[in-house]
Amino acid sequence: MKLKKIVLLAIFAFCSGNSIAQDAHITQKNFEDINLAYPGLEKTNALYTAGKYEAAAQELLTYYRKKCKAKEPDFSNSEKPADIHQPIDQATKEMADKALVHQFQPHKGYGYFDYGKDINWQMWPVKDNEVRWQLHRVKWWQAMALVYHATADEKYAKEWIYQYSDWVRKNPLGLSQDNDRFVWRPLEVSDRVQSLPPTFDLFVNSSNFTPVFLMEFLKSYHHQADYLASNYAEKGNHRLFEAQRTLFAGVSFPEFKNSARWRQSGIEVLNTEIKKQVYADGMQFELSPIYHVAAIDIFLKAYGSAKRVNLEKEFPASYIQTVENMVMALISITLPDYNTPMFGDSWLIDKNFRIKQFASWSKIFPANQAIKYFATAGKEGKAPDFLSKALSNAGFYTFRSGWDKDATVMVVKASPPGEFHAQPDNGTFELFVKGRNFTPDAGVFVYSGDDAIMKQRNWYRQTKIHSTLTLDNQNMLITKARQGKWETGNNLDVLTFSNPSYTDLDHQRSVLFVDQKYFLIIDKAIGKAKGNLAVHWQLREDSKAVFDQAGQKVYTSYSDGNNLLIQSLNMDKITLIEEEGKVSYVYNKELKRPAFAFEKPKNDDKTQVFISIAYPYEGNKTPKISIKPNPANDFEKGNLDMNIVVDGNTRHLAAKTMP
């Protein structure tokens, strides 16, 4: 009998560790975070005052159930707002179903991992930090909630309640320095704080959702939101995300005593950071187009949250004006396919998703006809009243022939120092012609992790795999470009900037957009430094590039006739070399692509010059191009006076590349 009793106790202990202790005793302490004077909690308060704590918890659950039935879940702050009136898509269903057996996909760059019947929240299947960080964003919980709402199948609610309690129990703050680093990094906390309110709303009416679990959930959520409000990141987009989501927590659960403090904290941080993080030209200071868009959404989501509780006046008029300027800055660097250059840890986006973003912004700025134009794919509103545009503070320069899908667009990056996401790539660019991005930036591939992961990340950060100049193929030491000239006209746009790329070597690049058709690029290496100079180029992965060593040129061979020629026009000896090329359009996925460089040595302190042309053309016959400098032409002084000859047709070009 004694042995049988021990076995039964062991079984009970095991089950208790893997299920919700639904018979747990509710005490006065369970209510310490709740403002029982909040309107609607009168019955709860009366039961609490009478010492009937379990009945008070039941009444509080009744309150939340009525509240959630009276309104739809608030997905307004989600990365991709869900629509509970639409059928569940296959990806969401798969994520929810796999979660039932503890197969989670923490990061889209990887597949699903099995975290075990007894969930191992510390498992690190791939030594990519993002995999472990994003595990604790628990994004599949929202998928489970959506499928539960669509099917009313209690297995999703039961499993979510189990997983939530299991996560809370196994991941307390202070468990270990390692675990705190991943579970309690403020960005991950903020992600949970943002996603849990609508998830809660969809599950709270489940028969499995008990008063005991309600009190556990509220205690945990309050702890996370309160922790977040006191532990913002020091700077950057993380700080913005965290402040926005703290505000959202205060709006989503106004029944907490600290909700007003959370709301005010988020508002104060965002009012301060929008002045610090946004340049006068509208770009966010991390100089990553993807994170620039994220910042727009952050500022507007926060404003929307404040508006729902009549706090929008806490944001000054300049706040909204700055965000509108940010949207216009985005428009200026947007390519005809609605993507932006993949500078600084950016990636490709879905066009329809970006149109929806513009549509949401257009509601806030209804008088802005350019935003409406982008929100409706050109069906309404008006195209922007500019073409080529300089964002001189951020160092993003766009050459543009038009706003239609067949336009020629080049975006050049020549920026001040950026933050974590910026790369040593000043001078690089993307060139988009008639629906095709011929020279996409390399992208990001991965973020951080062990030595193997960092080796992969660092390959994509190399200066030499960007379209710019290097000395001995080393990474540029400084990204601090100085604009020398920006001038636009009917037939010629000119940009010149200088960057102190290496010790004793400045890189000066002039880009001329000629007749809204092709680009003349003049690179100068100025200073005492010696070594091997190279101007690098990369092409799209499917371009089937042809290398013509004798002609010092490379050209694409697309069968549709939309092609690009890149040619050195130097009079001195230049060597054309083929290089390793790769591009990453999405996280942890890469493709091989053509890459090459024009090289020559720098043996003394004399300035060395590279003259290149990027010439889009129609058909499969490669143009024959040459230049004939006139007596007044002086590349070093920035005085251009030359004839550009294309297939026997001469175009006289006279311009100054310096003020």
Side-chain angles (χ1 to χ4, degrees), residues 445 456 459-460 582-586 588-592:
F445 194 61
Q456 293 172 328
W459 191 94
Y460 278 86
K582 293 189 289 187
V583 63
S584 178
Y585 295 117
V586 294
N588 196 39
K589 301 291 187 296
E590 62 184 358
L591 298 168
K592 292 183 179 180

Side-chain angles (χ1 to χ4, degrees), residues 48 109 121 193 245 268 398 414 454 456 459 497 540-541 546:
Y48 169 83
W121 296 102
V193 161
R245 293 161 177 175
E268 288 176 0
T398 303
M454 290 309 299
Q456 293 172 328
W459 191 94
F497 69 87
R540 189 179 170 93
E541 69 279 359
V546 177

